[in-house]
Amino acid sequence: MIQVQQSAKLVGHREPIYTVVNSQKAHIFFTAGNDKGVVEWSLKTHDLVKVMFPVEQSVYALHCPEAAPVLVSGERSGKLSVFNFISQELSHQITFHQQPIFDITSLTNRKELAVASEDGSISIWDLETFAQKKHIQVGSHTVRCLSTSPDEHYIAAGCKDNNIYLYTTHNYSLTCVLKGHTLPITSLAFSPCGRYLLSGSRDAQLKVWDLSTLSLKENIPAHLFAIYDIEYSPNGDYFATASRDKSIKIWDAETFKLLKTISREKGFDSHSHSVNKLAWSTFNNELISVGDDRIILTWAISAEE
């Protein structure tokens, strides 16, 4: 089993928070949501550092790629903004997508950025020049979430049509479509070992897909409502799920057994509304959670002795 203790409650946002991401610096993270700025926070001081840059509309996605010194945000308008940490300015603002951007990920070895949109497509961008390299029309339904496999051989896209589309990154050809969820896909995560793809949906089910056979390994009725995020711990021993049911759950990465439920019903001073996004930091192994209640909570996670 594990021990969970709240290490901080951070306030500053005046509207729901939709996304959180770790910086390339282990103790720094960023948040954004329905108010008009991307905000920097410190895990060293558990305090606000500064507002990084203003935005015109809600931000649903933030990403800090390992392969470039930038922070990328995706807005409801479809605008993609790139903040360069070296020059300390917005270096690029891209308006390719005309509908909301819901997720952003990157491929370190290929130095590429992948962006998912409500327009049913994924756009691929060069991480050095931010020139467009590819445009993949997945379908007519929203592409809600993306995840890249540890070896960067696959990129998975979760869609509003209840399906997961698995692409080979060599040429971005479609490998297969994973079907099984009964409602839109809202979260995806490849396991660090590369054996599994985890998916969460509005159907509240957590599914484990075996990548060696491209088949369903396990189906877990994990939450009461939609699973909005799945995040692995830095050491790969655990993963956490966040849900509209106001709870965070910690799971064993090998057995997929539930280890801890973080919620008000379980006695934690936790979120009072939907939990929208998680980030698990390498700094003190802290799990960061954000939600519709406009607060940021950080959790110290440790193995029981």
Side-chain angles (χ1 to χ4, degrees):
M1 296 297 289
I2 60 172
Q3 292 181 326
V4 176
Q5 183 174 358
Q6 187 186 117
S7 49
K9 178 186 288 187
L10 309 178
V11 296
H13 282 279
R14 297 182 178 181
E15 298 289 341
I17 308 169
Y18 298 136
T19 184
V20 56
V21 68
N22 289 311
S23 173
Q24 291 90 342
K25 294 181 180 179
H27 66 284
I28 295 295
F29 68 95
F30 304 101
T31 58
N34 202 37
D35 41 15
K36 302 302 181 181
V38 176
V39 184
E40 178 181 346
W41 305 82
S42 170
L43 285 172
K44 282 184 178 178
T45 61
H46 286 124
D47 204 356
L48 184 149
V49 178
K50 62 184 175 183
V51 177
M52 293 294 295
F53 56 90
V55 293
E56 295 176 356
Q57 294 192 21
S58 300
V59 174
Y60 297 138
L62 292 172
H63 184 66
C64 286
E66 293 182 15
V70 297
L71 166 64
V72 186
S73 72
E75 295 183 29
R76 186 175 62 192
S77 65
K79 179 190 289 186
L80 194 70
S81 297
V82 181
F83 185 88
N84 188 294
F85 293 124
I86 305 301
S87 61
Q88 286 291 300
E89 65 181 0
L90 285 171
S91 59
H92 298 81
Q93 290 190 300
I94 302 166
T95 56
F96 174 75
H97 292 286
Q98 301 301 306
Q99 295 185 54
I101 292 171
F102 280 115
D103 205 3
I104 306 169
T105 189
S106 57
L107 294 89
T108 301
N109 296 332
R110 296 172 62 90
K111 294 187 177 180
E112 292 178 345
L113 191 77
V115 178
S117 172
E118 189 176 293
D119 63 17
S121 75
I122 304 168
S123 57
I124 308 296
W125 305 84
D126 186 289
L127 262 177
E128 293 180 343
T129 65
F130 288 94
Q132 187 175 345
K133 298 181 70 174
K134 190 84 172 177
H135 181 227
I136 307 163
Q137 193 66 46
V138 181
S140 59
H141 298 278
T142 299
V143 183
R144 176 62 186 267
C145 49
L146 298 171
S147 185
T148 306
S149 62
D151 62 3
E152 298 189 357
H153 182 68
Y154 293 117
I155 186 168
C159 295
K160 194 176 179 180
D161 64 0
N162 312 346
N163 297 329
I164 302 162
Y165 295 81
L166 194 64
Y167 292 88
T168 302
T169 57
H170 172 66
N171 57 6
Y172 291 104
S173 61
L174 182 64
T175 300
C176 70
V177 181
L178 302 175
K179 299 184 177 183
H181 284 288
T182 58
L183 288 172
I185 311 300
T186 47
S187 53
L188 290 171
F190 282 94
S191 64
C193 65
R195 293 162 57 192
Y196 307 115
L197 173 64
L198 274 58
S199 60
S201 164
R202 288 191 183 275
D203 63 17
Q205 306 297 298
L206 175 69
K207 292 186 185 292
V208 182
W209 305 90
D210 189 324
L211 293 174
S212 64
T213 61
L214 297 176
S215 62
L216 184 65
K217 173 181 170 61
E218 288 198 40
N219 182 75
I220 303 166
H223 286 272
L224 297 176
F225 300 110
I227 301 170
Y228 283 149
D229 201 13
I230 305 168
E231 184 78 15
Y232 274 89
S233 63
N235 62 12
D237 290 344
Y238 315 112
F239 66 90
T241 55
S243 174
R244 187 186 172 195
D245 68 11
K246 310 173 189 177
S247 75
I248 303 163
K249 294 188 177 183
I250 313 294
W251 308 80
D252 186 284
E254 185 66 30
T255 65
F256 305 104
K257 300 300 183 184
L258 179 62
L259 300 177
K260 187 76 72 172
T261 299
I262 304 171
S263 67
R264 294 193 169 197
E265 287 75 15
K266 294 296 183 178
F268 289 92
D269 181 18
S270 188
H271 292 281
S272 61
H273 293 67
S274 171
V275 187
N276 296 329
K277 201 73 173 178
L278 303 170
W280 210 321
S281 176
T282 57
F283 187 79
N284 290 344
N285 199 41
E286 288 191 312
L287 179 66
I288 308 161
S289 59
V290 300
D292 278 359
D293 55 11
R294 303 171 293 177
I295 62 172
I296 302 161
L297 298 176
T298 64
W299 307 93
I301 312 289
S302 60
E304 289 184 344
E305 299 180 357

